Amino acid sequence: MKIVVFNVKYSENLGDGLLAQCVEAGLTKDASHIEVETIDLAGREGFGRGGSSGRRQQALKVLHRLPGFARRWAVGYVLGRTLRKLRGQWDAKIAAADAVVIGGGNLFQDDDLNFPLKVGTVLDCVRRHNRPLAIYAVGVSGHWSAPASRLFGRLKQANLVHLSVRDSFAQDSWRRHFPDGPEAKMVHDPGLLTRALVSDDCSPASMRQPTIGLCVTEPVILQRHASQKASAIPLQDIAEYRNLIRLLVRDGYHVCLFCNGASEDQIFAQRIRDEASMHRLAKSGALQLASRPRAPEELIRILRSTDVILAHRLHACIAAYSLGIPHVGLGWDKKVEGFFRSVGRQSYFVNGSGASPSDIAALLRAADSEGIESSSHQVIMAEAEAGIADMRRNLTRRDQNIVAEMSSVIRNDHHAAASN
């Protein structure tokens, strides 16, 4: 059986690549008859093949200053030529497949029609070939423009056999967008299957100095995609990072700055490390900057080299939880809070402009002290595995029925031959 999966596997943000690999592993687990091919919605074909980070960052800043209608027009104009080329490729892939998955990731968001145009194109191809479709563990933004609603609404004409979202916020948003259905069930994010990608013991055991990993995100990215006021985003300038680092070093920690793979995030992390007051800490080894990871395996290695993680990035937190690494999340988008709620770690989620570096440092110390509670962790891991197994059953049901019918025909023919 051939299953084609659409998401943004080869994004520079390796959290997307991590969850894509988890989906692939979940679909093929103990199922040698299933072949999975993941297709990147941006047309990328491998890790580390993104365009110029400088041009992209400048484009983001320009888009951020434009009014909404102008941003949608600009994105639609740029995407038009690319999607005309990709449509033919996707159509051929879907025609040759037995089933299609859209997910996971924050794919049902109206980011100036970027994802609506891409997902809408996939839905057209799925509908044309009448392939079973699973929409799996997706994020859903609260506001869609009218064009986005029409594009996403094409799923109503598809052969939809599974529909799930990754948290309660996404489920509430889905119900607002589709009050008459179809109804979406809630499952855990596939990134929780990260530990299945690691072959040995996931606990970071060594005699080194305890290390806190600060996953750095460029503030422009946070502000552009935030679901809240920019002023309410904690830890978004160099001065706040500088103060936090000093507090953590004073508490006896080493600090490792790293990013999820986006080049603009790495540049911002470099600016923090190169700040004049950080030179002494960097020279002593108390402050380090990890090399930019180019593949999910490299991001996992960085995470496992730390004892505690602090991040705005959702999948740094999700992967840390899967690997049993204590973590603190910083608010900017509801999806981060949604994850912390889903695993019962709301007390380690920080939001609002009132959160000072000293508050964050105290929470990191508490997370380090408490660790990850073992029994609830086991339950959530089992639930995550069950979620993708349920999606796979829904996708493969038609193939199972065909096999059962063929077996029945063979048995009947055998019995008829024996009686003759």
Side-chain angles (χ1 to χ4, degrees):
M1 182 180 186
K2 175 68 175 290
I3 301 175
V4 175
V5 181
F6 286 88
N7 50 43
V8 284
K9 177 177 180 176
Y10 298 117
S11 165
E12 271 200 344
N13 176 9
L14 294 172
D16 294 310
L18 195 60
L19 73 87
Q21 289 185 344
C22 289
V23 171
E24 293 166 355
L27 285 172
T28 57
K29 182 180 180 183
D30 302 323
S32 59
H33 65 289
I34 294 179
E35 176 190 354
V36 177
E37 179 180 4
T38 300
I39 298 175
D40 189 290
L41 285 165
R44 295 166 293 219
E45 297 182 344
F47 293 112
R49 299 183 188 179
S52 166
S53 62
R55 286 200 302 270
R56 184 173 59 253
Q57 193 169 10
Q58 187 60 36
L60 285 172
K61 289 179 179 178
V62 171
L63 279 174
H64 189 62
R65 291 195 291 266
L66 293 175
F69 75 90
R71 291 199 304 269
R72 289 191 291 273
W73 179 87
V75 171
Y77 178 80
V78 172
L79 272 181
R81 180 181 297 179
T82 300
L83 285 177
R84 282 192 290 274
K85 176 183 176 182
L86 293 175
R87 179 190 293 270
Q89 299 173 10
W90 295 351
D91 193 76
K93 294 286 187 181
I94 290 170
D98 298 291
V100 178
V101 176
I102 298 175
N106 200 26
L107 304 182
F108 280 76
Q109 59 167 313
D110 183 7
D111 53 343
D112 303 320
L113 294 184
N114 179 22
F115 281 117
L117 287 166
K118 294 171 179 175
V119 172
T121 301
V122 174
L123 292 171
D124 278 346
C125 299
V126 170
R127 183 176 53 182
R128 183 178 304 113
H129 297 288
N130 194 33
R131 294 295 183 262
L133 170 67
I135 294 174
Y136 169 63
V138 294
V140 184
S141 62
H143 174 74
W144 293 350
S145 62
S149 295
R150 289 192 295 271
L151 289 161
F152 286 142
R154 293 175 183 176
L155 65 88
K156 291 185 176 182
Q157 285 76 51
N159 179 15
L160 189 62
V161 299
H162 176 93
L163 171 57
S164 58
V165 295
R166 66 187 181 188
D167 59 49
S168 59
F169 289 124
Q171 191 174 53
D172 290 343
S173 294
W174 188 273
R175 286 171 177 159
R176 287 195 297 273
H177 296 311
F178 296 101
D180 300 322
E183 180 68 16
K185 67 177 69 176
M186 188 167 65
V187 300
H188 288 295
D189 188 284
L192 284 173
L193 303 176
T194 294
R195 71 174 184 177
L197 305 178
V198 180
S199 58
D200 57 347
D201 177 22
C202 293
S203 57
S206 72
M207 298 301 292
R208 57 169 170 72
Q209 189 91 358
T211 300
I212 290 181
L214 303 186
C215 182
V216 175
T217 306
E218 160 63 54
V220 170
I221 302 296
L222 298 174
Q223 294 161 13
R224 165 148 169 71
H225 296 288
S227 59
Q228 62 188 43
K229 292 182 178 179
S231 60
I233 301 173
L235 203 64
Q236 59 168 324
D237 64 43
I238 290 178
E240 289 180 307
Y241 274 100
R242 180 184 62 216
N243 293 337
L244 175 61
I245 291 166
R246 285 172 172 167
L247 290 169
L248 294 174
V249 171
R250 188 190 65 187
D251 288 339
Y253 290 102
H254 279 183
V255 175
C256 176
L257 301 172
F258 72 99
C259 75
N260 261 29
S263 51
E264 53 265 32
D265 294 353
Q266 185 75 11
I267 291 169
F268 186 64
Q270 180 84 46
R271 288 177 57 201
I272 296 169
R273 203 278 305 269
D274 290 346
E275 220 265 346
S277 62
M278 296 288 101
H279 288 175
R280 181 181 60 82
L281 297 180
K283 188 174 181 180
S284 71
L287 175 63
Q288 298 176 337
L289 172 64
S291 299
R292 180 164 77 95
R294 304 300 180 107
E297 296 78 11
E298 296 176 13
L299 176 60
I300 290 174
R301 281 198 293 272
I302 293 172
L303 293 173
R304 296 182 69 210
S305 72
T306 69
D307 299 277
V308 193
I309 295 292
L310 176 72
H312 293 96
R313 290 289 191 185
L314 174 63
H315 282 90
C317 296
I318 290 177
Y321 184 87
S322 179
L323 297 169
I325 302 170
H327 49 282
V328 173
L330 299 171
W332 62 284
D333 188 288
K334 283 185 176 294
K335 64 187 181 184
V336 184
E337 182 179 359
F339 167 68
F340 277 78
R341 282 189 179 188
S342 73
V343 296
R345 288 182 60 82
Q346 301 94 311
S347 59
Y348 289 107
F349 173 74
V350 182
N351 202 15
S353 55
S356 68
S358 60
D359 295 330
I360 296 171
L363 206 54
L364 286 165
R365 291 194 300 270
D368 184 23
S369 176
E370 182 177 328
I372 302 292
E373 202 279 318
S374 177
S375 59
S376 61
H377 183 263
Q378 291 176 8
V379 168
I380 288 166
M381 292 298 99
E383 289 174 349
E385 291 174 0
I388 197 165
D390 177 62
M391 185 263 288
R392 187 177 70 180
R393 278 192 300 271
N394 292 334
L395 277 178
T396 59
R397 185 173 292 127
R398 186 177 70 168
D399 267 29
Q400 292 166 354
N401 291 340
I402 291 171
V403 170
E405 290 171 6
M406 291 176 63
S407 299
S408 177
V409 169
I410 292 170
R411 284 195 302 271
N412 292 337
D413 287 348
H414 176 75
H415 290 155
S419 64
N420 291 333

